[in-house]
Amino acid sequence: MSTHAYVLVVLRTFDDPEEKDYLRALQKKGYPVELVTADQDPLPILVSHPPIAACFEFDYPDLQGLTDLRQAKQRAASVPLLMITQAHSESLAVWAFRTRVWDYFVQPVDLARFMAVMESLYQLRSLNAGTQARKQAAEVSNQIPPEARLHCPSFNHHRMQLQRAISYIEQHLHQKVAQAEVAEQCGITPFQLSRLFRKLTDNTFQGYLLERRIDEAKRLLANPGMSVTDVCFSVGFRDLSYFTRTFQKHVGHTPTLYRQSLNLNGAVCTAVEAGQVPAKPCDALAPAAKPIHITGRASDAAWSFKAST
């Protein structure tokens, strides 16, 4: 392949690049791939180092994302652009082709067609290598579809969706919490909710839910007035044996032994305060809400909050 025989992929998604089938297919065929993340401007690369093709991938395109694609076509008119999206929208597809997008793919990507298009573009570039004149900037001023103007899933929007999901979980922690119900509350699909949790909490939806149940159980076990059975049902478990096994797996003790350790630790702390034993560190085992560290794109500052207990 020639110096510029590579594929530029402009990511405007929450997916891990390693999970993308079309990227694995490109690499398997020997195409070098360069990724441009949301905090990077693809235009300097497109202009100075034109690729075989540039793939713009979106979850659901917003106004800024489509504007970036249109500017890319205006500034680097000779570079074929491919658009990949989850949005099943006829108006968006019409906009894409009027913007002179070479081809348009809806997730899941048809890999056979995608690779056939890439092969044809590579052959075309090979035939025209060294002889293709710079094309005149295309006029691509067609109006961006209304749904892209109204639906702008910025990173703040995704954080709000996550907060809404966590709030719903907190309010229904004592009940059965179905992922589909939480996704519906957030206005997204269960698959999108799962990706949202993986991206922003480094945990799965089910993993986060289980951790919150265990944390709440630890907090309730500090109350001697509640039986272990009451705690079990209060945090959404429906089987005491399963609750005991799960608690022990995550905490290292059964709920009963954990409660005893709390009582012992409390007695030592009381003795220290009364001067009956030498003062030493008193590591309270009483549970607190576990911090959730939520990180955004490289351009966003890391942020975190504590789920209420």
Side-chain angles (χ1 to χ4, degrees):
M1 290 186 177
S2 62
T3 305
H4 294 174
Y6 75 103
V7 178
L8 185 69
V9 177
V10 183
L11 296 175
R12 296 294 184 263
T13 71
F14 275 88
D15 284 341
D16 185 338
E18 295 181 359
E19 298 178 356
K20 299 181 184 300
D21 291 339
Y22 76 92
L23 288 183
R24 290 197 293 265
L26 285 171
Q27 293 166 345
K28 186 176 180 180
K29 282 291 186 179
Y31 291 97
V33 176
E34 184 170 342
L35 300 179
V36 175
T37 56
D39 58 306
Q40 297 176 291
D41 183 0
L43 282 176
I45 302 175
L46 285 169
V47 173
S48 64
H49 195 65
I52 299 171
C55 301
F56 279 73
E57 184 184 352
F58 305 91
D59 283 330
Y60 292 88
D62 60 5
L63 180 61
Q64 184 58 53
L66 295 186
T67 300
D68 290 345
L69 186 150
R70 186 163 60 188
Q71 289 178 347
K73 191 59 186 175
Q74 290 174 330
R75 294 280 302 278
S78 64
V79 177
L81 302 185
L82 306 182
M83 183 172 173
I84 302 173
T85 178
Q86 289 190 36
H88 294 258
S89 168
E90 182 179 351
S91 61
L92 187 61
V94 170
W95 177 90
F97 287 115
R98 286 180 176 173
T99 307
R100 314 279 178 86
V101 165
W102 187 276
D103 213 333
Y104 179 92
F105 296 86
V106 176
Q107 293 280 16
V109 174
D110 181 340
L111 292 180
R113 184 167 74 87
F114 179 83
M115 294 307 298
V117 169
M118 195 59 63
E119 178 63 20
S120 66
L121 290 175
Y122 172 64
Q123 295 296 337
L124 182 63
R125 185 170 186 80
S126 298
L127 291 173
N128 295 335
T131 63
Q132 186 175 16
R134 181 180 178 86
K135 292 184 179 180
Q136 185 177 0
E139 177 56 44
V140 287
S141 59
N142 56 303
Q143 187 175 13
I144 289 175
E147 65 254 42
R149 295 177 175 273
L150 297 175
H151 182 65
C152 300
S154 64
F155 187 68
N156 285 334
H157 176 75
H158 286 292
R159 289 192 298 193
M160 290 174 62
Q161 287 179 321
L162 181 66
Q163 288 177 329
R164 190 177 302 124
I166 289 175
S167 177
Y168 184 89
I169 290 172
E170 294 299 317
Q171 294 171 20
H172 299 83
L173 202 58
H174 62 290
Q175 303 172 347
K176 179 180 178 180
V177 178
Q179 184 170 333
E181 294 177 1
V182 180
E184 184 178 359
Q185 293 293 319
C186 299
I188 55 180
T189 67
F191 177 70
Q192 290 170 331
L193 181 67
S194 178
R195 290 193 310 165
L196 196 65
F197 268 86
R198 286 204 312 269
K199 186 67 177 181
L200 299 185
T201 71
D202 291 326
N203 202 350
T204 64
F205 171 82
Q206 295 297 339
Y208 171 81
L209 176 60
L210 182 59
E211 287 186 3
R212 279 298 301 126
R213 293 194 194 281
I214 296 298
D215 284 344
E216 181 65 5
K218 290 164 67 178
R219 187 183 72 84
L220 294 177
L221 285 168
N223 179 4
M226 289 190 71
S227 68
V228 173
T229 302
D230 290 338
V231 172
C232 166
F233 286 94
S234 294
V235 297
F237 287 88
R238 293 295 175 261
D239 181 271
L240 182 59
S241 297
Y242 176 68
F243 168 65
T244 301
R245 292 195 307 271
T246 304
F247 189 94
Q248 184 171 16
K249 178 181 178 180
H250 285 77
V251 180
H253 302 287
T254 65
T256 300
L257 288 177
Y258 179 79
R259 169 171 277 171
Q260 291 173 356
S261 70
L262 290 180
N263 293 336
L264 176 61
N265 190 74
V268 172
C269 288
T270 301
V272 169
E273 292 174 356
Q276 297 172 358
V277 296
K280 62 179 182 179
C282 198
D283 298 324
L285 296 178
K290 187 175 181 179
I292 307 167
H293 297 290
I294 304 178
T295 58
R297 297 167 176 155
S299 60
D300 291 295
W303 64 286
S304 64
F305 62 89
K306 289 188 177 181
S308 59
T309 57

